[in-house]
Structure formats: C-alpha cells, structure tokens
Amino acid sequence: MHKGSCLCGKIKFEVAGEIPPMHACHCSICRKASGHYGVGADVSREALKINGEENIKWFQTSEWARRGFCANCGTPLFFDPIDNKKIGWIGVSMGAFDKPTCTKMTMHIFTQDKGDYYEIVDGLPQHEQAPK
Ligand SMILES: [Zn+2]
C-alpha cells in the first residue's frame, strides 16, 4: 500500500500493492503539464483509490488522454487514457507519492523533445521517441 496527495491535501490517493517501475517522459506535453518532465507510474485502475475526486480538474491533452490536477493547488496528479475501460491503467505522478516508494525509474523517452537547459546524466537508457 502506497499513499500520496496533492500539495494542499484536498486530493489523497492510495495504491494497493507495489508501484511499478516507470519512465521519465520528456515530450513537450509532459514538460508543460508537469513543469519539468513527466514521471508517472502506470497503476491498474482497481489498485487506485482516490479521496477528494471532486477536486480533480481534468484537461484533455491529446486525442487519447486527459490529465488531472488539483483544482485548488494545481498539483499535477493523473494521466488518464480516455478509453480507460479498455486500457485499465492510470498514470499517477511520482512526485505526489509519499516516501518510501520502493520503486525506480528505468528509462527516458521522447528525449528528442527534451528541454535544452538540462542534461540526462543518470545512465539510464534513453529513447529519442517511445521505445519499440
Ligand atoms: Zn490540492
């Protein structure tokens, strides 16, 4: 069981079981939506319990996904594929989890779109777009 929340605490969530390993996404949508680059764990919809769901503001960021943030404090929290019933997972921002998360980032994707103000120096695999 892992817990997390937005900055103001109006939205709290729990994830049952382990948080799966995740990647960092440097695409321009993740960069703008997160404020730097996106790191979220894809957890099964059944494993995620949200308290304060009425405080989530959703914004559709592509044809197939919307992102949820706290309407009060602005914390980016969720990446939700539109056709979620078929897909079955939802992305949860790693920065919103309380420690310890007991998981690790495994790679960087969409590095061709990354910001020009930082270098990726952690030695993890890098993919210019999505990995094959
Ligand atoms: Zn909040």
PDB file of all heavy atoms in Angstrom, residues 5-12 55 69-75 77, ligand 1:
ATOM      1  N   SER A   5      -0.641  12.468  -2.155  1.00  0.00           N
ATOM      2  CA  SER A   5      -1.620  13.552  -2.140  1.00  0.00           C
ATOM      3  C   SER A   5      -1.126  14.705  -2.987  1.00  0.00           C
ATOM      4  O   SER A   5       0.054  14.757  -3.361  1.00  0.00           O
ATOM      5  CB  SER A   5      -1.849  14.045  -0.711  1.00  0.00           C
ATOM      6  OG  SER A   5      -0.710  14.747  -0.263  1.00  0.00           O
ATOM      7  N   CYS A   6      -2.045  15.636  -3.240  1.00  0.00           N
ATOM      8  CA  CYS A   6      -1.635  16.899  -3.836  1.00  0.00           C
ATOM      9  C   CYS A   6      -1.036  17.770  -2.737  1.00  0.00           C
ATOM     10  O   CYS A   6      -1.043  17.400  -1.560  1.00  0.00           O
ATOM     11  CB  CYS A   6      -2.822  17.582  -4.511  1.00  0.00           C
ATOM     12  SG  CYS A   6      -4.100  18.087  -3.344  1.00  0.00           S
ATOM     13  N   LEU A   7      -0.552  18.928  -3.127  1.00  0.00           N
ATOM     14  CA  LEU A   7       0.128  19.799  -2.168  1.00  0.00           C
ATOM     15  C   LEU A   7      -0.806  20.279  -1.062  1.00  0.00           C
ATOM     16  O   LEU A   7      -0.419  20.330   0.111  1.00  0.00           O
ATOM     17  CB  LEU A   7       0.723  20.991  -2.933  1.00  0.00           C
ATOM     18  CG  LEU A   7       1.610  21.977  -2.184  1.00  0.00           C
ATOM     19  CD1 LEU A   7       2.778  21.272  -1.505  1.00  0.00           C
ATOM     20  CD2 LEU A   7       2.129  23.024  -3.151  1.00  0.00           C
ATOM     21  N   CYS A   8      -2.029  20.628  -1.381  1.00  0.00           N
ATOM     22  CA  CYS A   8      -2.934  21.182  -0.363  1.00  0.00           C
ATOM     23  C   CYS A   8      -3.671  20.099   0.416  1.00  0.00           C
ATOM     24  O   CYS A   8      -4.258  20.378   1.455  1.00  0.00           O
ATOM     25  CB  CYS A   8      -3.936  22.144  -1.003  1.00  0.00           C
ATOM     26  SG  CYS A   8      -5.278  21.350  -1.911  1.00  0.00           S
ATOM     27  N   GLY A   9      -3.655  18.860  -0.079  1.00  0.00           N
ATOM     28  CA  GLY A   9      -4.269  17.757   0.644  1.00  0.00           C
ATOM     29  C   GLY A   9      -5.743  17.517   0.354  1.00  0.00           C
ATOM     30  O   GLY A   9      -6.339  16.611   0.938  1.00  0.00           O
ATOM     31  N   LYS A  10      -6.334  18.298  -0.541  1.00  0.00           N
ATOM     32  CA  LYS A  10      -7.752  18.066  -0.866  1.00  0.00           C
ATOM     33  C   LYS A  10      -7.936  16.758  -1.644  1.00  0.00           C
ATOM     34  O   LYS A  10      -9.025  16.196  -1.669  1.00  0.00           O
ATOM     35  CB  LYS A  10      -8.322  19.233  -1.679  1.00  0.00           C
ATOM     36  CG  LYS A  10      -8.641  20.454  -0.823  1.00  0.00           C
ATOM     37  CD  LYS A  10      -9.289  21.547  -1.658  1.00  0.00           C
ATOM     38  CE  LYS A  10      -9.508  22.825  -0.867  1.00  0.00           C
ATOM     39  NZ  LYS A  10     -10.685  22.792   0.004  1.00  0.00           N
ATOM     40  N   ILE A  11      -6.890  16.320  -2.331  1.00  0.00           N
ATOM     41  CA  ILE A  11      -6.934  15.039  -3.041  1.00  0.00           C
ATOM     42  C   ILE A  11      -5.890  14.120  -2.420  1.00  0.00           C
ATOM     43  O   ILE A  11      -4.702  14.464  -2.360  1.00  0.00           O
ATOM     44  CB  ILE A  11      -6.656  15.209  -4.550  1.00  0.00           C
ATOM     45  CG1 ILE A  11      -7.663  16.173  -5.178  1.00  0.00           C
ATOM     46  CG2 ILE A  11      -6.683  13.849  -5.255  1.00  0.00           C
ATOM     47  CD1 ILE A  11      -7.264  16.667  -6.553  1.00  0.00           C
ATOM     48  N   LYS A  12      -6.362  12.970  -1.950  1.00  0.00           N
ATOM     49  CA  LYS A  12      -5.463  11.957  -1.411  1.00  0.00           C
ATOM     50  C   LYS A  12      -5.710  10.670  -2.184  1.00  0.00           C
ATOM     51  O   LYS A  12      -6.817  10.438  -2.652  1.00  0.00           O
ATOM     52  CB  LYS A  12      -5.733  11.730   0.082  1.00  0.00           C
ATOM     53  CG  LYS A  12      -5.368  12.932   0.965  1.00  0.00           C
ATOM     54  CD  LYS A  12      -5.543  12.571   2.445  1.00  0.00           C
ATOM     55  CE  LYS A  12      -4.797  13.521   3.350  1.00  0.00           C
ATOM     56  NZ  LYS A  12      -5.322  14.876   3.392  1.00  0.00           N
ATOM     57  N   ASN A  55     -12.362  17.282  -6.375  1.00  0.00           N
ATOM     58  CA  ASN A  55     -11.419  18.402  -6.507  1.00  0.00           C
ATOM     59  C   ASN A  55     -10.496  18.268  -7.709  1.00  0.00           C
ATOM     60  O   ASN A  55      -9.657  19.141  -7.943  1.00  0.00           O
ATOM     61  CB  ASN A  55     -10.570  18.518  -5.236  1.00  0.00           C
ATOM     62  CG  ASN A  55     -11.413  18.848  -4.027  1.00  0.00           C
ATOM     63  OD1 ASN A  55     -12.088  19.877  -4.004  1.00  0.00           O
ATOM     64  ND2 ASN A  55     -11.412  17.965  -3.040  1.00  0.00           N
ATOM     65  N   PHE A  69      -5.473  17.437 -12.419  1.00  0.00           N
ATOM     66  CA  PHE A  69      -4.693  18.172 -11.426  1.00  0.00           C
ATOM     67  C   PHE A  69      -5.637  18.712 -10.369  1.00  0.00           C
ATOM     68  O   PHE A  69      -6.859  18.773 -10.563  1.00  0.00           O
ATOM     69  CB  PHE A  69      -3.880  19.290 -12.086  1.00  0.00           C
ATOM     70  CG  PHE A  69      -4.703  20.294 -12.843  1.00  0.00           C
ATOM     71  CD1 PHE A  69      -5.133  21.466 -12.233  1.00  0.00           C
ATOM     72  CD2 PHE A  69      -5.047  20.078 -14.175  1.00  0.00           C
ATOM     73  CE1 PHE A  69      -5.888  22.395 -12.921  1.00  0.00           C
ATOM     74  CE2 PHE A  69      -5.812  20.998 -14.877  1.00  0.00           C
ATOM     75  CZ  PHE A  69      -6.244  22.166 -14.251  1.00  0.00           C
ATOM     76  N   CYS A  70      -5.084  19.125  -9.240  1.00  0.00           N
ATOM     77  CA  CYS A  70      -5.917  19.649  -8.161  1.00  0.00           C
ATOM     78  C   CYS A  70      -6.434  21.032  -8.542  1.00  0.00           C
ATOM     79  O   CYS A  70      -5.642  21.923  -8.870  1.00  0.00           O
ATOM     80  CB  CYS A  70      -5.126  19.711  -6.865  1.00  0.00           C
ATOM     81  SG  CYS A  70      -6.096  20.480  -5.525  1.00  0.00           S
ATOM     82  N   ALA A  71      -7.746  21.204  -8.494  1.00  0.00           N
ATOM     83  CA  ALA A  71      -8.349  22.486  -8.854  1.00  0.00           C
ATOM     84  C   ALA A  71      -7.992  23.564  -7.844  1.00  0.00           C
ATOM     85  O   ALA A  71      -8.085  24.752  -8.139  1.00  0.00           O
ATOM     86  CB  ALA A  71      -9.861  22.344  -8.945  1.00  0.00           C
ATOM     87  N   ASN A  72      -7.559  23.165  -6.645  1.00  0.00           N
ATOM     88  CA  ASN A  72      -7.218  24.155  -5.614  1.00  0.00           C
ATOM     89  C   ASN A  72      -5.751  24.550  -5.650  1.00  0.00           C
ATOM     90  O   ASN A  72      -5.430  25.727  -5.644  1.00  0.00           O
ATOM     91  CB  ASN A  72      -7.581  23.599  -4.237  1.00  0.00           C
ATOM     92  CG  ASN A  72      -7.414  24.638  -3.139  1.00  0.00           C
ATOM     93  OD1 ASN A  72      -7.946  25.745  -3.244  1.00  0.00           O
ATOM     94  ND2 ASN A  72      -6.672  24.300  -2.111  1.00  0.00           N
ATOM     95  N   CYS A  73      -4.842  23.571  -5.688  1.00  0.00           N
ATOM     96  CA  CYS A  73      -3.413  23.904  -5.578  1.00  0.00           C
ATOM     97  C   CYS A  73      -2.635  23.672  -6.865  1.00  0.00           C
ATOM     98  O   CYS A  73      -1.478  24.068  -6.953  1.00  0.00           O
ATOM     99  CB  CYS A  73      -2.770  23.124  -4.428  1.00  0.00           C
ATOM    100  SG  CYS A  73      -2.640  21.358  -4.714  1.00  0.00           S
ATOM    101  N   GLY A  74      -3.244  23.016  -7.856  1.00  0.00           N
ATOM    102  CA  GLY A  74      -2.602  22.876  -9.161  1.00  0.00           C
ATOM    103  C   GLY A  74      -1.666  21.698  -9.314  1.00  0.00           C
ATOM    104  O   GLY A  74      -1.086  21.496 -10.379  1.00  0.00           O
ATOM    105  N   THR A  75      -1.474  20.892  -8.269  1.00  0.00           N
ATOM    106  CA  THR A  75      -0.564  19.747  -8.367  1.00  0.00           C
ATOM    107  C   THR A  75      -0.990  18.802  -9.485  1.00  0.00           C
ATOM    108  O   THR A  75      -2.133  18.341  -9.501  1.00  0.00           O
ATOM    109  CB  THR A  75      -0.567  18.942  -7.040  1.00  0.00           C
ATOM    110  OG1 THR A  75      -0.188  19.801  -5.973  1.00  0.00           O
ATOM    111  CG2 THR A  75       0.379  17.756  -7.113  1.00  0.00           C
ATOM    112  N   LEU A  77      -1.480  15.349 -11.072  1.00  0.00           N
ATOM    113  CA  LEU A  77      -1.605  14.066 -10.385  1.00  0.00           C
ATOM    114  C   LEU A  77      -1.799  12.866 -11.298  1.00  0.00           C
ATOM    115  O   LEU A  77      -1.176  11.827 -11.093  1.00  0.00           O
ATOM    116  CB  LEU A  77      -2.801  14.119  -9.414  1.00  0.00           C
ATOM    117  CG  LEU A  77      -2.656  15.029  -8.200  1.00  0.00           C
ATOM    118  CD1 LEU A  77      -4.001  15.197  -7.515  1.00  0.00           C
ATOM    119  CD2 LEU A  77      -1.632  14.473  -7.233  1.00  0.00           C
TER     120      LEU A  77
HETATM  121 ZN    ZN B   1      -4.553  20.370  -3.845  1.00  0.00          ZN
END
